[in-house]
PDB file of all heavy atoms in Angstrom:
ATOM      1  N   ASP A  42     -20.312  22.711  22.764  1.00  0.00           N
ATOM      2  CA  ASP A  42     -21.655  22.135  22.864  1.00  0.00           C
ATOM      3  C   ASP A  42     -22.559  22.951  23.781  1.00  0.00           C
ATOM      4  O   ASP A  42     -23.747  23.098  23.518  1.00  0.00           O
ATOM      5  CB  ASP A  42     -21.568  20.692  23.370  1.00  0.00           C
ATOM      6  CG  ASP A  42     -21.756  19.714  22.226  1.00  0.00           C
ATOM      7  OD1 ASP A  42     -21.063  19.900  21.210  1.00  0.00           O
ATOM      8  OD2 ASP A  42     -22.608  18.823  22.340  1.00  0.00           O
ATOM      9  N   ILE A  43     -21.953  23.468  24.874  1.00  0.00           N
ATOM     10  CA  ILE A  43     -22.768  24.235  25.824  1.00  0.00           C
ATOM     11  C   ILE A  43     -23.182  25.570  25.198  1.00  0.00           C
ATOM     12  O   ILE A  43     -24.339  25.972  25.263  1.00  0.00           O
ATOM     13  CB  ILE A  43     -21.981  24.468  27.140  1.00  0.00           C
ATOM     14  CG1 ILE A  43     -21.739  23.108  27.822  1.00  0.00           C
ATOM     15  CG2 ILE A  43     -22.725  25.425  28.071  1.00  0.00           C
ATOM     16  CD1 ILE A  43     -20.756  23.145  28.957  1.00  0.00           C
ATOM     17  N   LEU A  44     -22.208  26.246  24.555  1.00  0.00           N
ATOM     18  CA  LEU A  44     -22.503  27.560  23.964  1.00  0.00           C
ATOM     19  C   LEU A  44     -23.410  27.430  22.744  1.00  0.00           C
ATOM     20  O   LEU A  44     -24.280  28.252  22.510  1.00  0.00           O
ATOM     21  CB  LEU A  44     -21.200  28.258  23.564  1.00  0.00           C
ATOM     22  CG  LEU A  44     -20.312  28.697  24.735  1.00  0.00           C
ATOM     23  CD1 LEU A  44     -18.995  29.258  24.219  1.00  0.00           C
ATOM     24  CD2 LEU A  44     -21.021  29.754  25.580  1.00  0.00           C
ATOM     25  N   ASP A  45     -23.195  26.375  21.962  1.00  0.00           N
ATOM     26  CA  ASP A  45     -23.945  26.178  20.723  1.00  0.00           C
ATOM     27  C   ASP A  45     -25.070  25.170  20.976  1.00  0.00           C
ATOM     28  O   ASP A  45     -25.188  24.154  20.305  1.00  0.00           O
ATOM     29  CB  ASP A  45     -22.983  25.678  19.634  1.00  0.00           C
ATOM     30  CG  ASP A  45     -23.611  25.769  18.246  1.00  0.00           C
ATOM     31  OD1 ASP A  45     -24.692  26.361  18.141  1.00  0.00           O
ATOM     32  OD2 ASP A  45     -23.017  25.238  17.294  1.00  0.00           O
ATOM     33  N   ALA A  46     -25.879  25.511  22.000  1.00  0.00           N
ATOM     34  CA  ALA A  46     -26.858  24.531  22.500  1.00  0.00           C
ATOM     35  C   ALA A  46     -27.925  24.159  21.480  1.00  0.00           C
ATOM     36  O   ALA A  46     -28.499  23.077  21.543  1.00  0.00           O
ATOM     37  CB  ALA A  46     -27.522  25.079  23.758  1.00  0.00           C
ATOM     38  N   GLY A  47     -28.181  25.062  20.526  1.00  0.00           N
ATOM     39  CA  GLY A  47     -29.236  24.802  19.545  1.00  0.00           C
ATOM     40  C   GLY A  47     -28.864  23.739  18.529  1.00  0.00           C
ATOM     41  O   GLY A  47     -29.714  23.228  17.818  1.00  0.00           O
ATOM     42  N   ARG A  48     -27.562  23.408  18.484  1.00  0.00           N
ATOM     43  CA  ARG A  48     -27.123  22.461  17.466  1.00  0.00           C
ATOM     44  C   ARG A  48     -27.629  21.057  17.783  1.00  0.00           C
ATOM     45  O   ARG A  48     -27.637  20.630  18.932  1.00  0.00           O
ATOM     46  CB  ARG A  48     -25.585  22.457  17.430  1.00  0.00           C
ATOM     47  CG  ARG A  48     -25.028  21.846  16.189  1.00  0.00           C
ATOM     48  CD  ARG A  48     -23.546  21.928  16.243  1.00  0.00           C
ATOM     49  NE  ARG A  48     -23.033  21.299  17.474  1.00  0.00           N
ATOM     50  CZ  ARG A  48     -21.753  21.076  17.699  1.00  0.00           C
ATOM     51  NH1 ARG A  48     -20.871  21.462  16.839  1.00  0.00           N
ATOM     52  NH2 ARG A  48     -21.363  20.491  18.805  1.00  0.00           N
ATOM     53  N   GLU A  49     -28.013  20.373  16.743  1.00  0.00           N
ATOM     54  CA  GLU A  49     -28.546  19.030  16.970  1.00  0.00           C
ATOM     55  C   GLU A  49     -27.445  17.976  16.898  1.00  0.00           C
ATOM     56  O   GLU A  49     -26.406  18.206  16.297  1.00  0.00           O
ATOM     57  CB  GLU A  49     -29.605  18.717  15.909  1.00  0.00           C
ATOM     58  CG  GLU A  49     -30.896  19.480  16.145  1.00  0.00           C
ATOM     59  CD  GLU A  49     -31.941  19.144  15.104  1.00  0.00           C
ATOM     60  OE1 GLU A  49     -31.772  18.152  14.388  1.00  0.00           O
ATOM     61  OE2 GLU A  49     -32.924  19.904  15.030  1.00  0.00           O
ATOM     62  N   GLY A  50     -27.690  16.848  17.528  1.00  0.00           N
ATOM     63  CA  GLY A  50     -26.785  15.700  17.347  1.00  0.00           C
ATOM     64  C   GLY A  50     -25.803  15.474  18.475  1.00  0.00           C
ATOM     65  O   GLY A  50     -25.198  14.422  18.559  1.00  0.00           O
ATOM     66  N   GLY A  51     -25.641  16.463  19.373  1.00  0.00           N
ATOM     67  CA  GLY A  51     -24.736  16.281  20.509  1.00  0.00           C
ATOM     68  C   GLY A  51     -23.280  16.151  20.095  1.00  0.00           C
ATOM     69  O   GLY A  51     -22.859  16.715  19.085  1.00  0.00           O
ATOM     70  N   ILE A  52     -22.547  15.369  20.887  1.00  0.00           N
ATOM     71  CA  ILE A  52     -21.114  15.214  20.604  1.00  0.00           C
ATOM     72  C   ILE A  52     -20.930  14.116  19.561  1.00  0.00           C
ATOM     73  O   ILE A  52     -21.250  12.962  19.799  1.00  0.00           O
ATOM     74  CB  ILE A  52     -20.361  14.881  21.912  1.00  0.00           C
ATOM     75  CG1 ILE A  52     -20.438  16.077  22.862  1.00  0.00           C
ATOM     76  CG2 ILE A  52     -18.900  14.538  21.614  1.00  0.00           C
ATOM     77  CD1 ILE A  52     -19.842  15.839  24.215  1.00  0.00           C
ATOM     78  N   GLY A  53     -20.395  14.504  18.414  1.00  0.00           N
ATOM     79  CA  GLY A  53     -20.234  13.570  17.297  1.00  0.00           C
ATOM     80  C   GLY A  53     -18.945  12.787  17.393  1.00  0.00           C
ATOM     81  O   GLY A  53     -18.152  12.984  18.332  1.00  0.00           O
ATOM     82  N   PRO A  54     -18.708  11.891  16.425  1.00  0.00           N
ATOM     83  CA  PRO A  54     -17.504  11.050  16.488  1.00  0.00           C
ATOM     84  C   PRO A  54     -16.193  11.841  16.440  1.00  0.00           C
ATOM     85  O   PRO A  54     -15.217  11.465  17.093  1.00  0.00           O
ATOM     86  CB  PRO A  54     -17.645  10.139  15.262  1.00  0.00           C
ATOM     87  CG  PRO A  54     -18.727  10.719  14.423  1.00  0.00           C
ATOM     88  CD  PRO A  54     -19.572  11.553  15.302  1.00  0.00           C
ATOM     89  N   ALA A  55     -16.172  12.948  15.682  1.00  0.00           N
ATOM     90  CA  ALA A  55     -14.947  13.757  15.608  1.00  0.00           C
ATOM     91  C   ALA A  55     -14.663  14.391  16.965  1.00  0.00           C
ATOM     92  O   ALA A  55     -13.519  14.394  17.441  1.00  0.00           O
ATOM     93  CB  ALA A  55     -15.088  14.829  14.534  1.00  0.00           C
ATOM     94  N   GLN A  56     -15.733  14.914  17.611  1.00  0.00           N
ATOM     95  CA  GLN A  56     -15.561  15.525  18.935  1.00  0.00           C
ATOM     96  C   GLN A  56     -15.148  14.482  19.977  1.00  0.00           C
ATOM     97  O   GLN A  56     -14.305  14.752  20.836  1.00  0.00           O
ATOM     98  CB  GLN A  56     -16.857  16.193  19.373  1.00  0.00           C
ATOM     99  CG  GLN A  56     -17.013  17.612  18.832  1.00  0.00           C
ATOM    100  CD  GLN A  56     -18.319  18.206  19.287  1.00  0.00           C
ATOM    101  OE1 GLN A  56     -19.375  17.626  19.029  1.00  0.00           O
ATOM    102  NE2 GLN A  56     -18.261  19.334  19.950  1.00  0.00           N
ATOM    103  N   GLN A  57     -15.771  13.303  19.896  1.00  0.00           N
ATOM    104  CA  GLN A  57     -15.418  12.236  20.849  1.00  0.00           C
ATOM    105  C   GLN A  57     -13.934  11.867  20.731  1.00  0.00           C
ATOM    106  O   GLN A  57     -13.244  11.702  21.727  1.00  0.00           O
ATOM    107  CB  GLN A  57     -16.263  10.994  20.566  1.00  0.00           C
ATOM    108  CG  GLN A  57     -17.666  11.087  21.118  1.00  0.00           C
ATOM    109  CD  GLN A  57     -18.501   9.871  20.717  1.00  0.00           C
ATOM    110  OE1 GLN A  57     -17.973   8.836  20.354  1.00  0.00           O
ATOM    111  NE2 GLN A  57     -19.809  10.019  20.778  1.00  0.00           N
ATOM    112  N   THR A  58     -13.481  11.770  19.482  1.00  0.00           N
ATOM    113  CA  THR A  58     -12.070  11.438  19.261  1.00  0.00           C
ATOM    114  C   THR A  58     -11.180  12.529  19.841  1.00  0.00           C
ATOM    115  O   THR A  58     -10.170  12.245  20.493  1.00  0.00           O
ATOM    116  CB  THR A  58     -11.806  11.292  17.739  1.00  0.00           C
ATOM    117  OG1 THR A  58     -12.796  10.429  17.190  1.00  0.00           O
ATOM    118  CG2 THR A  58     -10.435  10.733  17.466  1.00  0.00           C
ATOM    119  N   ALA A  59     -11.557  13.786  19.575  1.00  0.00           N
ATOM    120  CA  ALA A  59     -10.752  14.908  20.068  1.00  0.00           C
ATOM    121  C   ALA A  59     -10.747  14.940  21.598  1.00  0.00           C
ATOM    122  O   ALA A  59      -9.697  15.179  22.226  1.00  0.00           O
ATOM    123  CB  ALA A  59     -11.297  16.212  19.508  1.00  0.00           C
ATOM    124  N   LEU A  60     -11.913  14.676  22.210  1.00  0.00           N
ATOM    125  CA  LEU A  60     -11.987  14.675  23.690  1.00  0.00           C
ATOM    126  C   LEU A  60     -11.083  13.587  24.277  1.00  0.00           C
ATOM    127  O   LEU A  60     -10.355  13.821  25.246  1.00  0.00           O
ATOM    128  CB  LEU A  60     -13.439  14.442  24.137  1.00  0.00           C
ATOM    129  CG  LEU A  60     -14.390  15.634  24.031  1.00  0.00           C
ATOM    130  CD1 LEU A  60     -15.820  15.204  24.339  1.00  0.00           C
ATOM    131  CD2 LEU A  60     -13.958  16.755  24.967  1.00  0.00           C
ATOM    132  N   THR A  61     -11.127  12.404  23.670  1.00  0.00           N
ATOM    133  CA  THR A  61     -10.282  11.301  24.148  1.00  0.00           C
ATOM    134  C   THR A  61      -8.803  11.678  24.014  1.00  0.00           C
ATOM    135  O   THR A  61      -8.002  11.452  24.920  1.00  0.00           O
ATOM    136  CB  THR A  61     -10.553  10.018  23.320  1.00  0.00           C
ATOM    137  OG1 THR A  61     -11.954   9.803  23.296  1.00  0.00           O
ATOM    138  CG2 THR A  61      -9.842   8.816  23.896  1.00  0.00           C
ATOM    139  N   PHE A  62      -8.461  12.272  22.858  1.00  0.00           N
ATOM    140  CA  PHE A  62      -7.078  12.647  22.621  1.00  0.00           C
ATOM    141  C   PHE A  62      -6.591  13.662  23.662  1.00  0.00           C
ATOM    142  O   PHE A  62      -5.514  13.496  24.249  1.00  0.00           O
ATOM    143  CB  PHE A  62      -6.928  13.216  21.199  1.00  0.00           C
ATOM    144  CG  PHE A  62      -5.600  13.862  20.971  1.00  0.00           C
ATOM    145  CD1 PHE A  62      -4.447  13.094  20.841  1.00  0.00           C
ATOM    146  CD2 PHE A  62      -5.483  15.243  20.917  1.00  0.00           C
ATOM    147  CE1 PHE A  62      -3.211  13.685  20.653  1.00  0.00           C
ATOM    148  CE2 PHE A  62      -4.254  15.839  20.727  1.00  0.00           C
ATOM    149  CZ  PHE A  62      -3.114  15.063  20.594  1.00  0.00           C
ATOM    150  N   PHE A  63      -7.395  14.698  23.902  1.00  0.00           N
ATOM    151  CA  PHE A  63      -6.934  15.734  24.827  1.00  0.00           C
ATOM    152  C   PHE A  63      -6.911  15.231  26.274  1.00  0.00           C
ATOM    153  O   PHE A  63      -6.088  15.673  27.071  1.00  0.00           O
ATOM    154  CB  PHE A  63      -7.777  17.002  24.669  1.00  0.00           C
ATOM    155  CG  PHE A  63      -7.444  17.740  23.401  1.00  0.00           C
ATOM    156  CD1 PHE A  63      -8.375  17.885  22.390  1.00  0.00           C
ATOM    157  CD2 PHE A  63      -6.165  18.255  23.197  1.00  0.00           C
ATOM    158  CE1 PHE A  63      -8.054  18.543  21.210  1.00  0.00           C
ATOM    159  CE2 PHE A  63      -5.828  18.912  22.017  1.00  0.00           C
ATOM    160  CZ  PHE A  63      -6.773  19.055  21.019  1.00  0.00           C
ATOM    161  N   ALA A  64      -7.808  14.311  26.597  1.00  0.00           N
ATOM    162  CA  ALA A  64      -7.763  13.703  27.934  1.00  0.00           C
ATOM    163  C   ALA A  64      -6.465  12.898  28.095  1.00  0.00           C
ATOM    164  O   ALA A  64      -5.787  12.984  29.136  1.00  0.00           O
ATOM    165  CB  ALA A  64      -8.976  12.791  28.131  1.00  0.00           C
ATOM    166  N   LEU A  65      -6.115  12.175  27.048  1.00  0.00           N
ATOM    167  CA  LEU A  65      -4.861  11.399  27.080  1.00  0.00           C
ATOM    168  C   LEU A  65      -3.645  12.323  27.173  1.00  0.00           C
ATOM    169  O   LEU A  65      -2.677  12.038  27.889  1.00  0.00           O
ATOM    170  CB  LEU A  65      -4.750  10.536  25.814  1.00  0.00           C
ATOM    171  CG  LEU A  65      -5.422   9.175  25.856  1.00  0.00           C
ATOM    172  CD1 LEU A  65      -5.366   8.520  24.478  1.00  0.00           C
ATOM    173  CD2 LEU A  65      -4.736   8.274  26.883  1.00  0.00           C
ATOM    174  N   LEU A  66      -3.727  13.432  26.426  1.00  0.00           N
ATOM    175  CA  LEU A  66      -2.612  14.393  26.439  1.00  0.00           C
ATOM    176  C   LEU A  66      -2.396  14.932  27.858  1.00  0.00           C
ATOM    177  O   LEU A  66      -1.257  15.021  28.341  1.00  0.00           O
ATOM    178  CB  LEU A  66      -2.938  15.537  25.479  1.00  0.00           C
ATOM    179  CG  LEU A  66      -1.779  16.405  25.028  1.00  0.00           C
ATOM    180  CD1 LEU A  66      -0.872  15.635  24.086  1.00  0.00           C
ATOM    181  CD2 LEU A  66      -2.308  17.649  24.310  1.00  0.00           C
ATOM    182  N   ALA A  67      -3.501  15.278  28.513  1.00  0.00           N
ATOM    183  CA  ALA A  67      -3.410  15.786  29.889  1.00  0.00           C
ATOM    184  C   ALA A  67      -2.832  14.711  30.814  1.00  0.00           C
ATOM    185  O   ALA A  67      -1.998  15.002  31.686  1.00  0.00           O
ATOM    186  CB  ALA A  67      -4.791  16.221  30.370  1.00  0.00           C
ATOM    187  N   LEU A  68      -3.256  13.476  30.595  1.00  0.00           N
ATOM    188  CA  LEU A  68      -2.768  12.361  31.418  1.00  0.00           C
ATOM    189  C   LEU A  68      -1.257  12.152  31.220  1.00  0.00           C
ATOM    190  O   LEU A  68      -0.515  11.951  32.196  1.00  0.00           O
ATOM    191  CB  LEU A  68      -3.524  11.087  31.029  1.00  0.00           C
ATOM    192  CG  LEU A  68      -3.383   9.907  31.975  1.00  0.00           C
ATOM    193  CD1 LEU A  68      -4.020  10.213  33.326  1.00  0.00           C
ATOM    194  CD2 LEU A  68      -4.027   8.660  31.373  1.00  0.00           C
ATOM    195  N   VAL A  69      -0.817  12.228  29.974  1.00  0.00           N
ATOM    196  CA  VAL A  69       0.621  12.101  29.694  1.00  0.00           C
ATOM    197  C   VAL A  69       1.373  13.228  30.409  1.00  0.00           C
ATOM    198  O   VAL A  69       2.423  13.011  31.029  1.00  0.00           O
ATOM    199  CB  VAL A  69       0.894  12.130  28.165  1.00  0.00           C
ATOM    200  CG1 VAL A  69       2.378  12.286  27.873  1.00  0.00           C
ATOM    201  CG2 VAL A  69       0.362  10.865  27.501  1.00  0.00           C
TER     202      VAL A  69
END
Side-chain angles (χ1 to χ4, degrees):
Chain A
D42 257 50
I43 295 168
L44 292 175
D45 194 9
R48 197 178 55 171
E49 287 181 15
I52 294 175
Q56 275 179 303
Q57 281 176 19
T58 310
L60 283 173
T61 309
F62 169 73
F63 286 115
L65 274 173
L66 198 71
L68 193 66
V69 168

